[in-house]
Amino acid sequence: MVSVETLVTLLVLAFLIPALLVGTAAGYAVACLFGLPSQLAVYGRVLGIDRWSAALPTVLALAVVFTIQFAAGLPGEGEPGSALANGAMAGLFVGAFALSVGLGNLRRYRRVRTIDDVIDATDGHVTVTGTAEPGPDGETVAPLSGEPCLAWAVRVRERHGIGQRGIRGLTRTDHGGVPFTVRDATGGVRVDPAALELRGWSVPPRSGDYRVEARDGLPDRVAAYRDDHDLSDGDERIYEECRLTADETVTATGKVVTRNGVATVGESGTLHAERASDIQQSRKRRVLVGVAGVVAMLGSTALLAVVVGLV
């Protein structure tokens, strides 16, 4: 026979779970009003975090807090153990953020863990690194700066939401270029930057990046880009451009396809203006940050359980 305590527990959970979902939806709606998702996406992309890698750690952290609150209750302000409980919850959400970084970079790290010699880049998904050389089509011109390059990426950012305050969120991203050659000691392979996204954004920006704020007035090329892509006027908007030029070190990751009879790295991948070994180390460190995040979440959960008397 089911006990009264069990029935009460099930009844409370039946009300608690919908309330949690409604509260989460309401919180997301408020965040959208202030433009927080687009603002956070700017730095999330730089760190390798996407919505899916952020969702699981966030849900886990919220589940821990609500479960402990329901099971034993968290100490209120000024009560014994409140400082430890607050510290543990801070550690829990810091750990969740670290885990998001690790999860977001795990698949990316696996892609660059093995570096292929250019001579072997004939089929499948490959990662090649070497020097960028112009192909038969020569160079192209970057849309904002007008500078010659092999590949380019553009992002447009502006403040969103109520009052247009805070970090500028993404409004538009764009990339392009002309096919070029990546050459190492074993040979050269064609790369199509129109099909591979150039990942050149960093914090702080690279010295060669181009940046224009609308409030300072737009050069003709930037104004033409705005008009060509039906972007509205806005003083809070920033136009940014990064470029890959000839003789730079480049790493291309993607699927090899045959175009005009030539094996080309040109599908489902990315370009980076740095050596694959540097990318490996950077992503490996971020994966290890995720491991540290798991440890932090487990430790914080254990500390919360001790503080409220569950163990």
Side-chain angles (χ1 to χ4, degrees):
M1 183 176 179
V2 180
S3 66
V4 175
E5 290 81 2
T6 301
L7 289 175
V8 171
T9 299
L10 293 175
L11 184 62
V12 171
L13 285 175
F15 283 100
L16 180 63
I17 292 175
L20 175 61
L21 294 176
V22 171
T24 301
Y28 181 75
V30 172
C32 288
L33 285 177
F34 287 93
L36 292 179
S38 62
Q39 295 168 13
L40 293 175
V42 175
Y43 295 105
R45 286 171 65 90
V46 173
L47 294 173
I49 302 173
D50 55 33
R51 67 181 63 185
W52 301 114
S53 63
L56 177 60
T58 302
V59 169
L60 286 175
L62 290 173
V64 168
V65 172
F66 278 98
T67 300
I68 291 180
Q69 175 67 32
F70 169 73
L74 294 169
E77 191 67 31
E79 295 181 359
S82 62
L84 279 176
N86 290 337
M89 283 195 292
L92 182 66
F93 285 100
V94 169
F97 174 76
L99 179 56
S100 298
V101 174
L103 290 176
N105 285 274
L106 181 59
R107 181 172 57 89
R108 294 179 174 91
Y109 171 64
R110 292 176 62 186
R111 282 189 172 185
V112 299
R113 186 171 55 184
T114 301
I115 304 172
D116 302 282
D117 289 333
V118 164
I119 197 173
D120 297 325
T122 56
D123 59 11
H125 198 282
V126 301
T127 297
V128 295
T129 188
T131 303
E133 298 179 353
D137 297 328
E139 295 181 312
T140 187
V141 174
L144 301 187
S145 65
E147 295 292 332
C149 63
L150 301 175
W152 53 266
V154 167
R155 68 180 181 184
V156 182
R157 297 190 292 132
E158 67 178 328
R159 293 191 174 104
H160 297 278
I162 297 175
Q164 292 190 328
R165 294 292 184 266
I167 303 170
R168 290 178 171 89
L170 286 173
T171 296
R172 178 182 174 82
T173 60
D174 198 5
H175 67 276
V178 291
F180 62 91
T181 299
V182 173
R183 186 171 300 280
D184 67 5
T186 66
V189 65
R190 186 75 56 83
V191 171
D192 183 3
L196 305 178
E197 182 182 357
L198 175 61
R199 297 285 182 86
W201 309 115
S202 60
V203 180
R206 300 193 310 165
S207 59
D209 290 352
Y210 182 78
R211 185 176 187 271
V212 173
E213 294 199 30
R215 67 176 61 182
D216 298 328
L218 296 181
D220 292 341
R221 293 190 64 90
V222 179
Y225 180 88
R226 176 201 61 195
D227 296 339
D228 290 343
H229 294 88
D230 297 324
L231 298 174
S232 60
D233 292 323
D235 290 340
E236 297 298 326
R237 185 169 291 163
I238 292 180
Y239 296 81
E240 296 171 299
E241 174 190 272
C242 63
R243 301 179 301 278
L244 174 69
T245 58
D247 298 326
E248 278 196 78
T249 297
V250 61
T251 296
T253 299
K255 185 178 179 181
V256 177
V257 295
T258 300
R259 291 182 179 163
N260 299 322
V262 180
T264 303
V265 183
E267 191 173 299
S268 304
T270 56
L271 286 173
H272 298 266
E274 54 185 323
R275 293 189 179 278
S277 57
D278 295 333
I279 301 173
Q280 284 177 334
Q281 291 302 314
S282 174
R283 290 182 177 171
K284 183 178 181 179
R285 286 193 294 268
R286 292 177 182 178
V287 171
L288 293 177
V289 166
V291 175
V294 172
V295 174
M297 291 186 73
L298 291 174
S300 298
T301 301
L303 180 57
L304 272 176
V306 170
V307 169
V308 301
L310 288 179
V311 294

